[in-house]
Amino acid sequence: MGATLPRAFYARPTLTVAEALIGKVLVHRTAGGTAAGMIVETEAYIGEDDPACHAAPGPTPRNAPLYGPPGFAYVYLNYGIHYLVNVVTEDEGSPAAVLIRALEPLDNVGLMTKRRAPDRVVEPYRLCRGPGNLTRALGITLAENRLDLTSSRLRIEDRGLVAGRVSWGPRIGIRVAMKRPWRCFVPENPCVSHAKRRA
DNA sequence: CGTTCGATGCACT
DNA sequence: GTGCATCGAACGT
């Protein structure tokens, strides 16, 4: 399969990692099967000076993974309903991460469909569109928080795929720091959240 | 097509 | 008690 990304990949400036992750493959192995998708949309959250970053209030029990070494997962529950998955970047003690916002489904679409909506028809391009949707499709919950992305059941691989040209824009869903264009995405890919209809 | 709004849990003030 | 790095059903146009 693909080569698992080494820790050095994550130990770089967060914006660099956010763009480098586009085209890489997020993989989650579970007892029910292995599901995976190509990353087509990310957002950077950088440091205590970024008001939208969870590290803005300073160190707390919840955001502790952000202050830890790079290459680990930071998962949390949002709006009481959705799990969101980040990858920790930069050096230990420098709180920053990249939020995975959308995937193009690759492996085990059937399993992802079952997890997303057993009773409803979900078109493939919408399976992993949006950060809450992709975690549900891959079966990512709080149990995956703090996992080592270089050696655990949750990892990111380089399969040599080419996602296409990327664009930068304001991050979605936040009410502060709209000036910082720290959302990186493949505009032509229909799996990107907030994308227009059709490809 | 567009916008609004309720669901739902927990970290933090 | 307040406010979310969301989603999709239920409206209105």
Side-chain angles (χ1 to χ4, degrees):
Chain A
M1 282 300 207
T4 301
L5 297 179
R7 195 164 318 282
F9 178 92
Y10 303 99
R12 294 186 289 169
T14 303
L15 294 178
T16 300
V17 177
E19 177 159 355
L21 281 171
I22 301 293
K24 302 301 188 291
V25 180
L26 180 63
V27 183
H28 190 207
R29 299 189 176 101
T30 66
T34 298
M38 180 178 73
I39 298 169
V40 295
E41 181 182 0
T42 60
E43 279 177 3
Y45 289 85
I46 310 174
E48 296 178 349
D49 293 334
D50 176 3
C53 181
H54 278 189
T60 67
R62 177 171 71 153
N63 67 25
L66 294 177
Y67 290 83
F72 285 78
Y74 170 48
V75 183
Y76 75 97
L77 179 63
N78 190 44
Y79 290 99
I81 300 177
H82 305 288
Y83 296 104
L84 272 56
V85 61
N86 301 251
V87 305
V88 177
T89 59
E90 304 193 12
D91 298 319
E92 183 165 3
S94 172
V98 173
L99 169 69
I100 310 297
R101 281 196 58 90
L103 309 174
E104 178 179 320
L106 291 179
D107 302 344
N108 222 332
V109 171
L111 174 60
M112 290 193 242
T113 303
K114 196 168 109 185
R115 284 181 177 140
R116 270 298 310 277
D119 307 333
R120 196 158 35 87
V121 178
V122 179
E123 301 188 69
Y125 78 95
R126 303 199 334 177
L127 267 182
C128 300
R129 190 168 77 161
N133 284 333
L134 77 89
T135 53
R136 210 187 324 168
L138 292 194
I140 295 172
T141 70
L142 241 36
E144 279 67 47
N145 191 26
R146 296 175 177 267
L147 284 184
D148 187 344
L149 294 170
T150 69
S151 61
S152 72
R153 64 178 178 275
L154 182 66
R155 58 182 67 202
I156 303 179
E157 301 176 350
D158 186 347
R159 296 187 183 177
L161 301 176
V162 178
R165 184 180 58 88
V166 304
S167 293
W168 292 87
R171 291 173 291 182
I172 291 178
I174 59 174
R175 309 159 84 94
V176 293
M178 297 304 288
K179 180 94 174 129
R180 298 176 185 181
W182 289 354
R183 170 177 178 248
C184 184
F185 59 103
V186 182
E188 69 203 43
N189 193 301
C191 302
V192 167
S193 70
H194 279 238
K196 298 194 169 177
R197 304 251 162 163
R198 298 197 15 89

